[in-house]
Amino acid sequence: MFKLSRPQRVCRIGRWNIGGQPGENPPLLISSMFHNGDRILESRKERKFDREKAKEYVKRQEELSAQTGIPALVAMVATSVDEMKTYIDFFLSISDQPFGIDVWVEKTRLEVAEYIARLGIQDRVLYNSITPWDKDIPGQVARLKELGIKHVVVQAFNQEDQTPKGRVTGLKKMLDIIGEGTFETILVDTAVMNLPSTSFSCIACRLVKEEFGWPAGVASSNGTYMWKAAREMWGSEGFNAMNAAGQAIAALLWSDLLFSGPIVNIPKIIPAVTTASLMLSTLVYDETGKLPPNQDHPLYKFFADFVKQLQ
């Protein structure tokens, strides 16, 4: 169940290894900031936001990541180039860690990539994302290659066949356009539609890894945050429990990365994903007799004595 027949690619962003066989490396968490509804965002048009609170969120995420061994970066959401420039400049002033950009419109996304190239920080940025809905995928890929962009997210979706296998066929078309060796890192997002369908996306992760070997994951927060009735039924405490459980289960099932939702909630998500990573490591051990090769894995950080018993 947790041993894939195809050799798996391990991508590296900053100090983090992403991908590999299930349980080999903890999943990368990609949180969001400056999304619609983000309380620290005061005026998107005027590019005003609570800088102290934003810095507090980023630093807390970095602390929890270092403590647990769970990789985590923030993807900043913007609708214009000038807006994203403001966020990038701010982030660079407070952190030396990798970060992501999240821009829906292809033209604007490429203009942001040009700014990243001018700054010479291509190795620190996750480009989110190349999608089946983009109007000029070959042109976009060629420009990104020219700019030296190294790390990209590719959306796997097939409008005609929304099954897990359909995502694989959709991704194959995308990868045929992108070509081999164009980017150092391709992270595949298997497109979550709602909470129960997250399981289909997790199955698609396994199929993608078996077919192509690239790291694959899910926007688990899409499923949990779209279930608005959960908050109405159970309040914030119940929602947080559901959200953490949904994302932890996704982390257990062949996901190398999770789009985990607003960064403000990362203190609730990292412990849940740490728990899933710990349990996955022993599921894999039972199946293969192997422990994670990544010495920064939560298993070694929190249960070193138990590891000695297994060894």
Side-chain angles (χ1 to χ4, degrees), residues 4 6 14 25 35 91 126 141 193-195 230 256 264 284 294:
L4 305 179
R6 182 190 177 99
N25 294 297
H35 48 275
F91 187 89
L126 179 62
V141 169
M193 308 306 292
N194 56 45
L195 179 58
D256 298 309
V264 64
V284 171
N294 183 345

Side-chain angles (χ1 to χ4, degrees), residues 133-154:
W133 304 280
D134 292 335
K135 294 181 179 179
D136 182 12
I137 297 173
Q140 180 180 189
V141 169
R143 183 60 177 148
L144 291 174
K145 183 176 182 180
E146 182 181 316
L147 292 170
I149 298 299
K150 300 179 184 301
H151 313 296
V152 302
V153 176
V154 175

Side-chain angles (χ1 to χ4, degrees), residues 12-69:
R12 191 167 180 87
I13 303 178
R15 61 184 177 84
W16 301 317
N17 291 326
I18 305 153
Q21 289 286 343
E24 184 175 334
N25 294 297
L28 170 68
L29 301 186
I30 304 170
S31 62
S32 65
M33 193 158 60
F34 309 123
H35 48 275
N36 288 340
D38 190 342
R39 292 183 180 180
I40 66 171
L41 185 60
E42 297 166 2
S43 171
R44 193 178 292 281
K45 184 177 180 180
E46 298 176 15
R47 303 190 292 281
K48 292 174 60 178
F49 60 95
D50 187 333
R51 290 173 176 260
E52 284 304 313
K53 185 63 72 174
K55 180 179 179 180
E56 176 187 322
Y57 290 158
V58 170
K59 291 303 179 184
R60 182 57 175 151
Q61 177 170 277
E62 290 178 358
E63 289 170 4
L64 288 168
S65 177
Q67 179 193 61
T68 62

